Amino acid sequence: MAVLYGFCPEAALDTFSLGRGLMPFIKDCMRYPDKVELAADDLTDNCAFVSSLVVRLMGVRRIKIFVHRSSMDFISPKTFKEVSVPNLKRLAEVLVAKGIGPILHLDGNWDLNLETLRELSAGYCVVQFDDPTDIFLAKEVIGDRICIMGDVPADMPCLDSTSEVDEYCHRPIEEVGKGGGYVMGAGYEMPPNARPENFRTMIESVNKYG
């Protein structure tokens, strides 16, 4: 089996949010923005170093960066742009310079943050959305710069029929995949209780419509 990622780190602000708890973290951003920024700088430097080391040991030059507490479900687009993006952008640029492909796993709704994502390195980053984000809007806003991955809902391979899975996969392959820059797949992960025939249908849809 091919290994998809050489390492799976977490973005600095998301680490703080999970470590402190959401409300204390939000208060930190409001009360001590300079300290949060300095701490994020340090953590980003360490993340880049460890990521490069592990990727070299693994021999897989791709990493998955979890950015699961920076969507508009958790923080405002303004806070995301001012506090989260600078270090996220710097981490991606350091990795790209080392020949490592960053894949950003973006949980939640990112519709109002799509324009800000254009600041990421064009032609090198992949962003993985799950179903709350409008993947067709994402194609319009960032599709000329960033590869889009997703966004088959996690429950669909478990609960829906093969015809429903096929129908769902059809549209993003043709619309988001138009002109390239699209990886069809699960929005989050393939559930362990996914029905084999639905998993097979997802794979076959790429050949059928792509």
Side-chain angles (χ1 to χ4, degrees), residues 91-137:
L91 176 60
E93 289 174 348
V94 170
L95 294 172
V96 167
K98 294 178 179 291
I100 301 170
I103 300 175
L104 278 59
H105 180 82
L106 307 178
D107 285 328
N109 192 321
W110 288 78
D111 291 352
L112 298 183
N113 291 334
L114 292 172
E115 189 65 37
T116 302
L117 290 175
R118 290 184 61 84
E119 298 181 22
L120 297 174
S121 301
Y124 293 97
C125 292
V126 178
V127 291
Q128 181 185 20
F129 296 115
D130 51 14
D131 54 298
T133 298
D134 184 343
I135 198 171
F136 304 102
L137 176 63

Side-chain angles (χ1 to χ4, degrees), residues 57-196:
L57 293 172
M58 288 289 294
V60 180
R61 305 194 69 80
R62 288 181 302 276
I63 71 167
K64 184 174 188 175
I65 305 172
F66 288 99
V67 194
H68 40 197
R69 285 288 188 98
S70 292
S71 73
M72 49 189 270
D73 296 322
F74 292 97
I75 60 177
S76 70
K78 181 176 183 291
T79 300
F80 171 69
K81 183 177 180 65
E82 295 177 355
V83 182
S84 180
V85 165
N87 282 285
L88 186 61
K89 180 182 177 182
R90 184 160 64 88
L91 176 60
E93 289 174 348
V94 170
L95 294 172
V96 167
K98 294 178 179 291
I100 301 170
I103 300 175
L104 278 59
H105 180 82
L106 307 178
D107 285 328
N109 192 321
W110 288 78
D111 291 352
L112 298 183
N113 291 334
L114 292 172
E115 189 65 37
T116 302
L117 290 175
R118 290 184 61 84
E119 298 181 22
L120 297 174
S121 301
Y124 293 97
C125 292
V126 178
V127 291
Q128 181 185 20
F129 296 115
D130 51 14
D131 54 298
T133 298
D134 184 343
I135 198 171
F136 304 102
L137 176 63
K139 174 68 173 181
E140 294 178 14
V141 178
I142 63 173
D144 61 327
R145 292 178 57 84
I146 299 173
C147 180
I148 297 169
M149 183 177 179
D151 67 336
V152 178
D155 59 344
M156 179 168 280
C158 306
L159 303 177
D160 289 23
S161 66
T162 55
S163 61
E164 289 171 320
V165 173
D166 180 81
E167 182 179 355
Y168 188 94
C169 294
H170 185 187
R171 186 183 172 198
I173 289 173
E174 291 203 335
E175 295 185 26
V176 184
K178 186 177 181 179
Y182 174 58
V183 180
M184 202 285 291
Y188 188 69
E189 296 171 346
M190 184 59 65
N193 60 331
R195 295 165 59 194

